Amino acid sequence: MNKNIGELIKQKRTENKMTLKDISEATDLSIGFLSQLERGLTSIAQDTLKKVAKALNVEMTYFMDQPKSKEKVVLRSYEKEILRIEGGSIIEYLMTNMVTQAEMLPKLVEILPQKEVEESLTYSHEGEEFVYVLEGILTLKVENEVYDLYPGDCAHYLSTRAHNWSNQTNKVVKFITINTPNLFKETGETI
């Protein structure tokens, strides 16, 4: 994904002379969520981004830097590519060479501490997610339950359940997440 999804949404929305209310009505997303997204304060699920792209009349690729698949089975630690940087505090690294062929997308995620902790808005999308904490304390919200996950803890849930994760501490949080579906898998489909 592009490093500045929120900025790109705001830029395209402004070019199209649309308000947050217009996008909200076209996508059934709240104005508050869209505002936080544009300011880089929250993340967006793939299928939700697809709705926003449709409302803005752009392809999903407008928001993405396409990673390149490689033939190699092993990905060395020094070869990891940054998939995206969100709001200056969340860094996602690809953990696979099979970006366009695989059903699942494994990533290493780092969440930097933030000066002010805002409540994370939950979202849902198709598929499932697995999370394994490597370092720090990850706060995971799934529906109305909040969990603090410590190094070695893991979680596995259907992504159709409203969820989100955050760093509510003053230390870096690092974890591995494996998601389905893989948005980059070549299917030949367009929006």
Side-chain angles (χ1 to χ4, degrees):
M1 297 258 181
N2 189 289
K3 297 176 183 81
N4 302 304
I5 291 174
E7 290 175 19
L8 289 172
I9 290 171
K10 183 174 184 177
Q11 178 184 356
K12 185 54 74 172
R13 178 178 63 78
T14 304
E15 284 175 18
N16 292 349
K17 296 182 176 24
M18 298 177 81
T19 64
L20 285 173
K21 184 177 180 190
D22 295 332
I23 302 297
S24 174
E25 290 172 356
T27 61
D28 289 326
L29 299 171
S30 74
I31 292 172
F33 172 79
L34 292 167
S35 175
Q36 280 193 347
L37 180 62
E38 285 188 357
R39 292 181 289 143
L41 300 176
T42 192
S43 58
I44 187 168
Q46 297 166 0
D47 59 335
T48 306
L49 182 59
K50 197 174 201 178
K51 290 178 188 177
V52 173
K54 187 173 182 179
L56 293 170
N57 200 26
V58 295
E59 296 291 325
M60 284 282 287
T61 54
Y62 174 78
F63 301 107
M64 298 175 197
D65 297 327
Q66 290 296 320
K68 296 170 181 60
S69 284
K70 301 170 189 89
E71 299 284 325
K72 300 185 318 183
V73 172
V74 174
L75 176 68
R76 300 288 178 192
S77 61
Y78 54 84
E79 297 174 320
K80 282 194 298 284
E81 293 180 32
I82 293 178
L83 176 62
R84 70 177 168 167
I85 299 174
E86 232 178 89
S89 63
I90 300 174
I91 307 166
E92 295 184 2
Y93 300 88
L94 286 172
M95 292 186 67
T96 182
N97 283 321
M98 296 177 43
V99 177
T100 59
Q101 296 103 357
E103 296 294 326
M104 62 181 187
L105 185 64
K107 299 177 287 189
L108 171 66
V109 180
E110 294 180 3
I111 306 179
L112 306 176
Q114 299 176 25
K115 291 178 185 168
E116 294 180 28
V117 178
E118 287 196 19
E119 183 180 346
S120 295
L121 299 175
T122 58
Y123 59 94
S124 60
H125 54 91
E126 66 179 274
E128 59 186 291
E129 293 182 27
F130 174 82
V131 174
Y132 180 84
V133 179
L134 300 168
E135 181 181 318
I137 303 169
L138 177 70
T139 300
L140 172 68
K141 185 171 185 181
V142 180
E143 294 177 337
N144 295 323
E145 296 289 326
V146 178
Y147 307 93
D148 286 332
L149 302 178
Y150 296 85
D153 290 349
C154 57
H156 187 190
Y157 48 90
L158 295 177
S159 303
T160 53
R161 298 175 72 188
H163 63 281
N164 204 343
W165 27 256
S166 62
N167 179 358
Q168 312 251 332
T169 72
N170 62 357
K171 304 227 187 280
V172 174
V173 173
K174 292 183 183 179
F175 60 98
I176 293 171
T177 181
I178 302 172
N179 301 50
T180 64
N182 175 0
L183 182 64
F184 300 106
K185 185 171 193 283
E186 293 176 349
T187 60
E189 288 183 32
T190 58
I191 63 169

